[in-house]
Amino acid sequence: MITFRSHRFEAIGTYWVIEAYEPVDDEAWADLLAAVAARIEAFDQAYSRFRPDSLVTTMAATAGTYQLPTDAAALFELYRELYEHTGGAMTPLIGGTLAAAGYDANYSLMPAAALLVPPAWDDVMAFAAPNQLTLHQPALLDVGAAGKGYLADLVGEVLEAAGLTSYCVDAGGDIRYRLGASEPAAAASEPAASAAEPLRVGLEHPADPTQVIGVAELSPGWSICGSAGNRRAWAGYHHIVDPRTLQSPRHLAAVWVTARTTLLADALTTALFFVAPDTLRRYYEFEFALVRADMALAASPGFSAAFFTADQS
């Protein structure tokens, strides 16, 4: 495919790439990038637990009822579903536990002597329309298990609102890929143009970030996200902590998920550290690949990828 525009930048602690696969003039592209930057800033100002002026930081200090941004419903409703499906393991109330483990606002990476067990959802908070969150006590929320993927979707919405239909948003490996509006095929033997060209995505080797373990083919209209314990690892922990054990899961080395939204793909890469794929496939449409700690590979039939070094099982 032809890349007409490409922009690389850093935001929310990761590297982003936005590519446009259709012509965009200079003025429109500049306006679009400004709108993207503003959208990212608004999301970060609401949900970051790493900045002192965020809404999440305010909620960590004071109980009460808060008006969340209009994008909150999809995020918190999915969190609530996955909280139930994982037996409480996937929870936005993990923020205090992560901070105590050393993944705090100062990135101290110095674990406390004892970690905090997250409280039960209904004991602490209630989410209700229109986008209101009531905290019965102060709580440090962390939406990192789904937030970056969701932000990739929201950035995609900014692009689409400006009329761009063929693009890729890559938010540190959380990728949303669109290739034109889907149109009915002219005949049964002619596929829709939007399904023509998959995006090839390298899958990072969980034991060596300078290598790839395989290459996935991402169809237009889908998103892909990955998670591995080799990133953001310190003192026996990584960025996922199981609230039931207060330990980071070690049975999986890496997880990748493809889904129709980057929000869902990102969220499920964390949920799969807690429950088996079949449990989640009862509720959601997605494909997956898991690399276990012994480097054995398990993948769903619809996960389109060629793997190089992991053993199939």
Side-chain angles (χ1 to χ4, degrees):
M1 72 195 71
I2 299 174
T3 301
F4 287 89
R5 294 282 184 176
S6 181
H7 180 60
R8 298 171 182 269
F9 61 100
E10 187 175 357
I12 63 165
T14 194
Y15 290 98
W16 292 65
V17 181
I18 296 176
E19 294 183 336
Y21 305 131
E22 58 192 79
V24 184
D25 66 43
D26 290 347
E27 183 177 357
W29 185 243
D31 290 344
L32 195 51
L33 295 182
V36 165
R39 188 67 186 88
I40 293 173
E41 169 62 19
F43 189 89
D44 194 48
Q45 201 281 327
Y47 299 114
S48 175
R49 65 178 178 87
F50 301 104
R51 50 188 289 177
D53 62 338
S54 74
L55 180 60
V56 160
T57 299
T58 299
M59 291 190 290
T62 307
T65 297
Y66 292 87
Q67 186 66 44
L68 299 180
T70 56
D71 57 53
L75 182 63
F76 277 85
E77 287 170 3
L78 180 58
Y79 254 106
R80 180 65 198 214
E81 291 173 5
L82 290 172
Y83 178 82
E84 300 293 341
H85 299 330
T86 62
M90 185 162 166
T91 171
L93 293 164
I94 197 69
T97 305
L98 291 171
Y103 193 23
D104 51 28
N106 298 317
Y107 294 95
S108 71
L109 307 182
M110 296 292 293
L115 301 195
L116 302 173
V117 176
W121 184 302
D122 292 328
D123 290 345
V124 174
M125 66 181 187
F127 180 81
N131 301 305
Q132 286 188 338
L133 186 69
T134 297
L135 291 177
H136 307 305
Q137 64 187 57
L140 180 60
L141 303 184
D142 183 285
V143 297
K148 183 157 64 74
Y150 191 30
L151 185 52
D153 284 336
L154 296 175
V155 167
E157 291 178 4
V158 171
L159 302 181
E160 292 171 14
L164 195 64
T165 62
S166 296
Y167 64 86
C168 178
V169 176
D170 181 348
D174 292 353
I175 298 173
R176 175 184 172 97
Y177 178 48
R178 302 294 184 264
L179 201 58
S182 297
E183 297 180 359
S189 61
E190 298 179 16
S194 64
E197 192 164 359
L199 183 72
R200 289 172 58 82
V201 178
L203 306 176
E204 183 181 293
H205 197 302
D208 184 355
T210 67
Q211 302 291 325
V212 294
I213 200 170
V215 177
E217 290 195 340
L218 183 66
S219 298
W222 285 71
S223 297
I224 186 169
C225 296
S227 185
N230 64 326
R231 295 290 187 171
R232 288 174 289 173
W234 72 99
Y237 296 100
H238 56 70
H239 66 289
I240 299 173
V241 173
D242 189 329
R244 301 165 299 186
T245 65
L246 298 181
Q247 299 292 323
S248 290
R250 297 293 175 185
H251 64 294
L252 296 177
V255 176
W256 293 276
V257 171
T258 59
R260 296 286 183 176
T261 68
T262 330
L263 166 62
L264 181 59
D266 193 17
L268 293 180
T269 62
T270 296
L272 286 170
F273 275 87
F274 302 132
V275 295
D278 287 349
T279 298
L280 298 173
R281 283 165 73 88
R282 299 173 193 164
Y283 308 102
Y284 306 107
E285 179 189 10
F286 69 97
E287 304 296 336
F288 68 90
L290 311 176
V291 178
R292 300 192 179 99
D294 62 0
M295 298 304 294
L297 172 68
S300 60
F303 190 87
S304 181
F307 285 88
F308 307 142
T309 59
D311 294 326
Q312 292 271 3
S313 69

